[in-house]
Amino acid sequence: MSRPTAAARRSRILLTGYFLGLGVVMAIWGARMPAVQHAAHLSTAQLSWVLLAAALGMVAGLRTGGRLARPGRLPVLLMGGAVGLAGALAVLGQCRTLASLLVAALAFGAAHGVVDVAANSAAVRCQNAYGRPIMASLHAAYSFGALGAAALAATAATSHSVLFLATGLTLTAGVLAAGPLTFALDGTDQPPAASGGGSGVLPRRRLWLLGVLAASSLLGEGAAADWAAVHVHSLGGTTAAAASAFALYSAGMTLGRLTGDRLTTAFDTPTVVRAGALLAAAGLTTGVLANSVPAALAGWTVFGLGLSTTVPCLITAAGSGGPKAVATVSVTGYLGLLAGPALIGALASTTTLPTALLLPALLAATLAVLAHRALENTAP
């Protein structure tokens, strides 16, 4: 195995920074959501409109980014999207009306979508240059950023307006300072023809299968974010125990992503994804059926660990079809993330929450069954 070039290593460090920053922004926004709602005197229904605006903006950004992303345009999309995202976060902190929040949230989501496509497309090309998997470690940087920022948002005494503004300005300064490195991205990767990926055409059936599997995986992430704490609390867990449920899930996912690249190097990608999905299904099923707080906490941890490599591997497979394929899989996947919590809530209202939480476990098992068909011939 040849050693990556110095330019490829610099690109990896740069992209790690972009993924880290993306995790920081999303965690800061999510953790201080109650403060945003209180400052603008929003009802729960009105807050849901703000979140819907962000979701619609993200879908539009993903689709637009997929159409515009070409190797030579990736630096512009990365910098422009990142500055737009940081700026939108700063503006969101100053909004005090529903109308202003809707506009800012739409811009925030659109910028997020553009950065997501550009960063993942650039990551696929950088991985081509390395000749070995690095995608999981880049997504681990996102998880680290989210964990650190969530802790900061929870403990910082400053108002959400100041926190959003300070975060936005800091990240904007970082993006601008990294401008020369960002514009040097073009040409630091191997030509797609040399690595077997990047500009080919994926069969439509396989592309949509990748998207459906991404949606299945991200539905589990949405379930963990919105229902893990509720689940543990319903079992009689303390407030602290309930709050730790998603943190443990995130810790499991971060750990899995830190080791994911070594696993996919040692074994083939379908095997790693299949084993992880089976582990996730078994962990969550056991945690739900055991009906105890310790088992539930362990189950959510194992669920995060098992799903950790799924999305990075699916994005890598989509990358062989170029940025438009990455955008298609991302859009489909985020539909699962956005719709999943509501679907589980609807199922819980007609059955029970433990029964509803078996859905992401079932989808993880389905992912394990279909992993080989979706990921066959996937190469770093």
Side-chain angles (χ1 to χ4, degrees), residues 2-380:
S2 60
R3 292 174 60 85
T5 64
R9 291 196 295 270
R10 287 195 297 269
S11 295
R12 181 181 182 179
I13 293 171
L14 174 73
L15 291 171
T16 298
Y18 272 99
F19 277 96
L20 184 74
L22 188 56
V24 167
V25 170
M26 299 314 297
I28 291 288
W29 164 240
R32 287 298 182 93
M33 191 73 65
V36 173
Q37 181 181 13
H38 177 75
H41 307 289
L42 302 181
S43 66
T44 301
Q46 289 173 322
L47 180 61
S48 69
W49 281 107
V50 174
L51 297 178
L52 178 61
L56 291 175
M58 184 173 184
V59 171
L62 286 167
R63 293 178 63 86
T64 301
R67 287 195 298 268
L68 295 178
R70 299 291 185 273
R73 297 175 183 171
L74 289 178
V76 174
L77 292 176
L78 270 173
M79 285 194 67
V83 170
L85 184 65
L89 179 69
V91 172
L92 281 167
Q94 316 311 312
C95 292
R96 297 294 183 269
T97 66
L98 175 61
S100 61
L101 278 170
L102 287 173
V103 174
L106 188 68
F108 181 83
H112 182 194
V114 170
V115 175
D116 190 281
V117 171
N120 278 297
S121 298
V124 170
R125 294 177 64 86
C126 185
Q127 183 169 253
N128 290 343
Y130 259 71
R132 60 179 173 82
I134 61 169
M135 185 69 77
S137 64
L138 292 175
H139 281 250
Y142 175 95
S143 299
F144 269 119
L147 284 171
L152 173 64
T155 58
T158 185
S159 69
H160 81 283
S161 298
V162 174
L163 182 61
F164 284 19
L165 181 61
T167 302
L169 291 176
T170 300
L171 291 178
T172 297
V175 170
L176 294 178
L181 279 178
T182 303
F183 278 99
L185 273 175
D186 186 28
T188 62
D189 51 2
Q190 292 177 346
S195 61
S199 64
V201 178
L202 284 175
R204 181 171 295 273
R205 181 178 299 179
R206 186 181 178 203
L207 179 62
W208 285 109
L209 178 58
L210 290 169
V212 169
L213 294 184
S216 299
S217 181
L218 289 173
L219 184 148
E221 185 169 331
D226 287 15
W227 291 105
V230 178
H231 173 227
V232 172
H233 189 265
S234 71
L235 297 175
T238 64
T239 301
S244 69
F246 182 65
L248 288 171
Y249 164 87
S250 299
M253 177 158 285
T254 302
L255 176 63
R257 286 178 171 174
L258 285 174
T259 59
D261 291 330
R262 288 192 290 272
L263 289 174
T264 50
T265 298
F267 307 97
D268 61 280
T269 300
T271 298
V272 172
V273 173
R274 183 187 302 114
L278 287 174
L279 181 66
L284 185 57
T285 300
T286 302
V288 168
L289 297 182
N291 203 36
S292 73
V293 171
L297 292 174
W300 285 110
T301 305
V302 173
F303 187 61
L305 180 66
L307 288 184
S308 60
T309 61
T310 300
V311 171
C313 289
L314 293 171
I315 292 293
T316 295
S320 64
K324 187 174 182 180
V326 171
T328 299
V329 171
S330 296
V331 168
T332 310
Y334 277 111
L335 290 177
L337 179 67
L338 297 170
L343 179 58
I344 289 173
L347 289 174
S349 67
T350 57
T351 56
T352 64
L353 180 57
T355 300
L357 289 174
L358 291 175
L359 174 62
L362 176 62
L363 290 175
T366 303
L367 197 159
V369 172
L370 298 175
H372 182 77
R373 181 179 301 177
L375 298 169
E376 60 184 350
N377 300 323
T378 297

